[in-house]
Structure formats: C-alpha cells, structure tokens
Amino acid sequence: MRTMTGKLYLVPTPIGNLEDMTFRAIRILKEVDIILAEDTRTSAPMLKHFEIDKKAFSHHQHNEHKATSEIIKFLKQGQNVALISDAGTPAISDPGFFLVREALKNEIEVNCLPGATAFVPALVNSGLPSDQFVFEGFLPVKKGRQTRLKLLASEERTMIFYESPHRLLKTLSEFGEFLGEDRQASVSRELTKMYEETVRGTVLEIKSHFENNILKGEFVICVAGGVKNKGKGTKRKD
C-alpha cells in the first residue's frame, strides 16, 4: 500500500492534430491512477485513439472548487492524478489554476508537461514582435470589458487574445474603436487542423475578411503593441 504523497500532472493534449501528442504525455496518462478531464465526452475519443484504457472523471469550471478537496485527498493517499483540458495546456484559459494552487498549499508535487497550446504557434506565425508579449486570453464578456480595452490601448507589447466565433466581429470592431483600425494584427483559426487559416493585416482589413467568410472554429488574435509597433501593412492570407 502506498504511503507517499501522489503527484499532480498537468498534461497538454492536441489542439486539433492528434500527431501533436507527445510520447511522455501518453505514458503519464497510462500510468496515473486518475485522469481528470474538462469534458469526458471530448477526451474519450482521444484516450481511445492512444489506447489509454482508463476512465476519465469530469473536472470543469462549474465543479472545480467543489471537487478539489476530494482530489487533494486522493493525492495525499498516494494516488497520482493527471489533469487534461479539452485541448491544449490545462489552466491556460481552462480549469486547473485552482487545483494547482491547492495542491501546492498541501505540499503536493505538481508537474506540468510541455506540449500543445494555441497561442504560441499563433504568435510565432503572426509576424508580429514575439520577444515581449502579453497573454490576455478571453476579454471580459460584459463587466470591465471597455475598461480593459482602454488600458490595453497603451500596451507596447504584442497582445494575444482568445475568441469564439460568435464574438469575433464584435471584438475586432472594438479593437478598431479602442486600439485603432490601422493597428497591425493577425487572426488564426483551426490551428493544426485541415482548414487552418491565418489572416494578417490591419484590424480593419481582417474584420472585412471575416465579414465575408464563414466564422468557424476557435480563434487566436494577436495585436501589435501601440507605441513601438505602429505601421501599416497589406492583408495576407495563408
């Protein structure tokens, strides 16, 4: 019977292309006692593909606080736990931060594996300065949204945002209003998938492109900083 405290592993999963799964991630998921998944329906096909014959338990933003104490108990009993999100690295605009914080408070070892995350390829692929950047994730939906945009107007570093299809045009319009329609930007969607697309240009040019195209998939928006990175460019589509 185990007497040592277990470990908590944060395991990145592919954001689209299953070939991006690492050998280490597969091994850890096969070895741990418990797998926690943001949505078990999403994770099941991926686990089956890699022949990981283990049931995943639900761990999402609506039950995270309630379930964490039970997970900590399992870890203290010596069970190893792996947390995965629907896609990418856990705790990056996904559940995970609270569990990690509580594990550390309880002196439980936490290991985060390197692996897929959407904003890194989007940033590198954008052509915008990547030596310094700020990750904003999802903007507030209502309260605090305009305040945040006003503050970001003076941000000098490249800014990275996540956005959903039904809010993309609204967000681009607001970028035009608060950051300037001539601000250089890049929008990537369906990264690593068959219909991957990156559109580069000014905020106005990119908005015009997506007004005339189907909005589908998850979007990563990269926007140039406001002082050091001014300039105009021509829209380019990959």
Side-chain angles (χ1 to χ4, degrees):
M1 186 175 180
R2 294 183 187 176
T3 56
M4 295 181 63
T5 302
K7 294 181 181 180
L8 173 62
Y9 294 93
L10 278 69
V11 181
T13 55
I15 59 175
N17 192 324
L18 289 176
E19 292 180 358
D20 293 331
M21 190 73 162
T22 68
F23 293 117
R24 185 182 173 202
I26 295 170
R27 177 179 61 80
I28 292 296
L29 291 177
K30 287 183 176 181
E31 291 179 354
V32 294
D33 301 291
I34 299 171
I35 296 176
L36 304 174
E38 184 180 0
D39 187 333
T40 56
R41 295 167 298 180
T42 301
S43 62
M46 185 270 295
L47 295 174
K48 182 178 179 181
H49 177 83
F50 292 111
E51 299 179 347
I52 300 168
D53 187 17
K54 196 163 294 181
K55 181 180 178 182
F57 296 89
S58 180
H59 185 80
H60 48 72
Q61 62 178 345
H62 302 296
N63 74 350
E64 185 174 22
H65 286 65
K66 184 178 180 181
T68 292
S69 60
E70 194 70 18
I71 298 164
I72 296 297
K73 187 186 301 181
F74 290 142
L75 287 161
K76 285 184 172 180
Q77 291 172 352
Q79 298 190 68
N80 294 318
V81 177
L83 173 66
I84 60 176
S85 62
D86 286 349
T89 302
I92 301 296
S93 291
D94 281 318
F97 163 73
F98 183 75
L99 176 58
V100 170
R101 186 178 66 181
E102 293 305 302
L104 294 174
K105 281 183 181 178
N106 285 273
E107 299 183 344
I108 293 166
E109 184 176 347
V110 178
N111 287 329
C112 181
L113 278 63
T117 188
F119 79 81
V120 173
L123 170 63
V124 174
N125 196 34
S126 71
L128 298 174
S130 57
D131 54 335
Q132 293 186 343
F133 60 89
V134 55
F135 176 71
E136 287 289 321
F138 289 97
L139 285 167
V141 176
K142 294 180 181 179
K143 187 177 180 181
R145 188 177 177 91
Q146 290 194 4
T147 301
R148 191 69 202 151
L149 286 165
K150 289 176 182 177
L151 288 172
L152 291 173
S154 59
E155 175 58 62
E156 295 182 354
R157 297 167 292 181
T158 299
M159 296 165 279
I160 307 169
F161 305 86
Y162 285 166
E163 195 50 277
S164 61
H166 66 278
R167 279 201 298 264
L168 178 69
L169 293 177
K170 175 187 176 182
T171 297
L172 290 172
S173 294
E174 290 173 330
F175 285 166
E177 179 183 353
F178 290 94
L179 309 181
E181 292 185 331
D182 64 343
R183 184 75 68 94
Q184 286 292 301
S186 169
V187 174
S188 298
R189 71 176 188 93
E190 295 288 84
L191 284 166
T192 79
K193 300 178 183 178
M194 181 180 295
Y195 298 106
E196 177 177 336
E197 177 186 34
T198 294
V199 179
R200 307 174 185 87
T202 65
V203 168
L204 180 60
E205 289 170 335
I206 294 171
K207 180 173 178 286
S208 298
H209 169 81
F210 284 109
E211 283 175 335
N212 298 294
N213 288 272
I214 297 173
L215 296 176
K216 186 177 180 181
E218 296 300 318
F219 292 80
V220 184
I221 309 172
C222 298
V223 183
V227 177
K228 294 181 179 180
N229 304 315
K230 286 184 178 180
K232 295 185 178 181
T234 303
K235 179 180 70 173
R236 186 177 62 179
K237 173 183 170 184
D238 286 349

